[in-house]
Amino acid sequence: MADEKQSAIAPAVDATHNEAREVPSKPGSHQDISIPPPRPPGWMYKGFKVFGHELWYASPLFQLLLVAVVCFMCPGMFNALSGLGGGGQVDHSAQDDANTALYSTFAVVAFFSGSIANKLGVRLTLSFGGLGYVIYIASFFSYNHNQNHGFVVFAGAFLGVCAGLLWTAQGTIMMSYPTEDMKGRYISWFWIIFNLGAVIGSLIPLGQNINKVAGPVTDGTYIGFLVLTLIGAILALMICDVDKVQREDGSKVIMMKNPSWITEFKGLFETITSAPWVVLLFPMFFASNTFYTYQSNNMNGSQFNTRTRALNNTLYWLAQIFGAIIVGYALDFAGARRSVRAKSSFVMLIVLTMAIWGGGYAWQKDQPTREETAEEGFVMVDWTDGGKKYVGPMFLYMFYGFYDAAWQTCIYWYMGALSNSGRKAANLAGFYKGLQSAGAAVFWRLDGLKKPFDTIFGATWGLLGGALLIAAPVIWMKIQDTVALEEDLKFSDETAAEVAGAEGAAGQAQPETVAVGASSETAKAVV
């Protein structure tokens, strides 16, 4: 009888959740049955088909797509404006001072924003975060008429507060909603939509300034950005809170059931004290936005005229999309264990850092100095110059965009590989965005102090290389093939039955179940 019972149970792996389980085999068949559990009643869980795949409002993928559209509208337009160099102005001082203020407040708020997001929820955190982008764009529209420097700096500081909250909520969704075998693709899909916002945003000034070779961008550029960021801020109100999200197998995202300010600030420090080696990733976090200063202001903004800057900007963000697709899908490659993929991606980052920035050095050493570009009558490069003068740096600028996507995608994937807990993901995202902003503030300040272009280039390249060296032990030794559910639950007040869903809870009552928490690639039956 025992043998008959065992033969009636067939192991199955649920590919939509990091869970291996056993389900009854179809009588007279060797085929496994995997029946999705019923979803709760209500419009949030009513399914609809998109390209043959069923989604519902409170599904992880739909929520990721929704937050990606918000970032398409808000940070996407910010990136498009920043990529023009000087916020679209001839004089970069207003943007330099605003960005120094922005990243200074961003660094402080983001470091604690994981606790704020865990307490308030991702919907309220994301909604408030979108407001800052509207005011920031409006300040440059105002500056185009009255040169109100103080308003631009205030808007930058306020955006730092808002962006710290928005990006932490976004990071929580992107890293903790997908299953382990889907995290690279979720990051890729988000990055594609987000950077598509920057591409479309870049086409606005390109069209507005197609015949303009000097001076600031037109009012129409700022108005277009302003309308889109406002739509994004309103759309953020439609995100649903974490406790409403349900995966296809009925499982939930691991969070705190009853968060308080005390538990969340305590959890912030527990993220580091429970795994102190995570600080070795901090230099990578710090370096992850420093290259924008050199690329947007020192290269694009100082060497190319208005319409060529707009074209370069469009190509830069297009290259980011291709970078996200290639790297994100490679990180989820099922033919290799996750620990192997982590090491391979790290080697790729080292090669890209040396190759692309080495090419950048070959170009930069022959370029005019800051003082020369500031002289009256300095002739900037136009796309009609072609050849070595434009075609070479155009491709270099595109490779810079590809590199940015590769760096950011890998960092998010590394953090997601360390934990599946939404609570821990929020804190890691806060650390990441806080340190990232601190690094950006330092480099925007260097540009504001009119440091030589060569100095800023060298500091950026050296920081990227040094950060990789310091992070190597974490990538090599701490990223495992899977993270057990029990390990993730140590950082929560929830139980396995509460997060595993209806099937997982039922499975716990049977002796022939498998451990919850393994990915579909690595799950093993427990007998």
Side-chain angles (χ1 to χ4, degrees), residues 494-506:
E494 294 183 305
T495 65
E498 289 171 323
V499 300
E503 292 181 354

PDB file of all heavy atoms in Angstrom, residues 494-506:
ATOM      1  N   GLU A 494       5.708  36.825   9.082  1.00  0.00           N
ATOM      2  CA  GLU A 494       4.780  35.938   8.406  1.00  0.00           C
ATOM      3  C   GLU A 494       5.253  34.494   8.518  1.00  0.00           C
ATOM      4  O   GLU A 494       6.410  34.220   8.821  1.00  0.00           O
ATOM      5  CB  GLU A 494       4.651  36.337   6.928  1.00  0.00           C
ATOM      6  CG  GLU A 494       4.002  37.702   6.736  1.00  0.00           C
ATOM      7  CD  GLU A 494       3.819  38.049   5.270  1.00  0.00           C
ATOM      8  OE1 GLU A 494       4.817  38.009   4.533  1.00  0.00           O
ATOM      9  OE2 GLU A 494       2.691  38.362   4.877  1.00  0.00           O
ATOM     10  N   THR A 495       4.335  33.557   8.241  1.00  0.00           N
ATOM     11  CA  THR A 495       4.646  32.131   8.274  1.00  0.00           C
ATOM     12  C   THR A 495       4.661  31.576   6.856  1.00  0.00           C
ATOM     13  O   THR A 495       4.161  32.205   5.917  1.00  0.00           O
ATOM     14  CB  THR A 495       3.607  31.355   9.097  1.00  0.00           C
ATOM     15  OG1 THR A 495       2.329  31.449   8.435  1.00  0.00           O
ATOM     16  CG2 THR A 495       3.490  31.941  10.507  1.00  0.00           C
ATOM     17  N   ALA A 496       5.195  30.364   6.712  1.00  0.00           N
ATOM     18  CA  ALA A 496       5.254  29.739   5.391  1.00  0.00           C
ATOM     19  C   ALA A 496       3.862  29.557   4.811  1.00  0.00           C
ATOM     20  O   ALA A 496       3.630  29.755   3.621  1.00  0.00           O
ATOM     21  CB  ALA A 496       5.980  28.401   5.481  1.00  0.00           C
ATOM     22  N   ALA A 497       2.898  29.175   5.657  1.00  0.00           N
ATOM     23  CA  ALA A 497       1.531  28.953   5.172  1.00  0.00           C
ATOM     24  C   ALA A 497       0.909  30.236   4.647  1.00  0.00           C
ATOM     25  O   ALA A 497       0.125  30.218   3.697  1.00  0.00           O
ATOM     26  CB  ALA A 497       0.672  28.383   6.295  1.00  0.00           C
ATOM     27  N   GLU A 498       1.271  31.379   5.241  1.00  0.00           N
ATOM     28  CA  GLU A 498       0.668  32.658   4.847  1.00  0.00           C
ATOM     29  C   GLU A 498       1.207  33.163   3.512  1.00  0.00           C
ATOM     30  O   GLU A 498       0.498  33.848   2.770  1.00  0.00           O
ATOM     31  CB  GLU A 498       0.919  33.710   5.930  1.00  0.00           C
ATOM     32  CG  GLU A 498       0.116  33.468   7.196  1.00  0.00           C
ATOM     33  CD  GLU A 498       0.534  34.384   8.330  1.00  0.00           C
ATOM     34  OE1 GLU A 498       1.741  34.665   8.457  1.00  0.00           O
ATOM     35  OE2 GLU A 498      -0.349  34.829   9.093  1.00  0.00           O
ATOM     36  N   VAL A 499       2.431  32.831   3.187  1.00  0.00           N
ATOM     37  CA  VAL A 499       3.008  33.353   1.943  1.00  0.00           C
ATOM     38  C   VAL A 499       3.037  32.322   0.827  1.00  0.00           C
ATOM     39  O   VAL A 499       3.176  32.679  -0.339  1.00  0.00           O
ATOM     40  CB  VAL A 499       4.444  33.889   2.173  1.00  0.00           C
ATOM     41  CG1 VAL A 499       4.432  35.008   3.184  1.00  0.00           C
ATOM     42  CG2 VAL A 499       5.390  32.778   2.592  1.00  0.00           C
ATOM     43  N   ALA A 500       2.893  31.019   1.168  1.00  0.00           N
ATOM     44  CA  ALA A 500       2.999  29.979   0.151  1.00  0.00           C
ATOM     45  C   ALA A 500       1.728  29.809  -0.643  1.00  0.00           C
ATOM     46  O   ALA A 500       1.728  29.169  -1.683  1.00  0.00           O
ATOM     47  CB  ALA A 500       3.391  28.648   0.795  1.00  0.00           C
ATOM     48  N   GLY A 501       0.617  30.376  -0.189  1.00  0.00           N
ATOM     49  CA  GLY A 501      -0.630  30.278  -0.925  1.00  0.00           C
ATOM     50  C   GLY A 501      -1.391  29.013  -0.589  1.00  0.00           C
ATOM     51  O   GLY A 501      -0.962  28.182   0.213  1.00  0.00           O
ATOM     52  N   ALA A 502      -2.524  28.865  -1.239  1.00  0.00           N
ATOM     53  CA  ALA A 502      -3.410  27.745  -0.925  1.00  0.00           C
ATOM     54  C   ALA A 502      -2.752  26.396  -1.165  1.00  0.00           C
ATOM     55  O   ALA A 502      -2.849  25.479  -0.375  1.00  0.00           O
ATOM     56  CB  ALA A 502      -4.696  27.858  -1.748  1.00  0.00           C
ATOM     57  N   GLU A 503      -2.032  26.287  -2.276  1.00  0.00           N
ATOM     58  CA  GLU A 503      -1.379  25.020  -2.596  1.00  0.00           C
ATOM     59  C   GLU A 503      -0.260  24.718  -1.628  1.00  0.00           C
ATOM     60  O   GLU A 503      -0.077  23.606  -1.185  1.00  0.00           O
ATOM     61  CB  GLU A 503      -0.839  25.051  -4.019  1.00  0.00           C
ATOM     62  CG  GLU A 503      -1.938  25.094  -5.066  1.00  0.00           C
ATOM     63  CD  GLU A 503      -1.376  25.096  -6.469  1.00  0.00           C
ATOM     64  OE1 GLU A 503      -0.146  25.171  -6.603  1.00  0.00           O
ATOM     65  OE2 GLU A 503      -2.156  25.018  -7.408  1.00  0.00           O
ATOM     66  N   GLY A 504       0.513  25.749  -1.310  1.00  0.00           N
ATOM     67  CA  GLY A 504       1.627  25.542  -0.405  1.00  0.00           C
ATOM     68  C   GLY A 504       1.150  25.140   0.969  1.00  0.00           C
ATOM     69  O   GLY A 504       1.717  24.282   1.622  1.00  0.00           O
ATOM     70  N   ALA A 505       0.064  25.779   1.430  1.00  0.00           N
ATOM     71  CA  ALA A 505      -0.480  25.445   2.743  1.00  0.00           C
ATOM     72  C   ALA A 505      -0.996  24.018   2.757  1.00  0.00           C
ATOM     73  O   ALA A 505      -0.806  23.275   3.710  1.00  0.00           O
ATOM     74  CB  ALA A 505      -1.596  26.424   3.086  1.00  0.00           C
ATOM     75  N   ALA A 506      -1.672  23.605   1.677  1.00  0.00           N
ATOM     76  CA  ALA A 506      -2.178  22.243   1.598  1.00  0.00           C
ATOM     77  C   ALA A 506      -1.034  21.245   1.568  1.00  0.00           C
ATOM     78  O   ALA A 506      -1.084  20.188   2.165  1.00  0.00           O
ATOM     79  CB  ALA A 506      -3.054  22.087   0.354  1.00  0.00           C
TER      80      ALA A 506
END
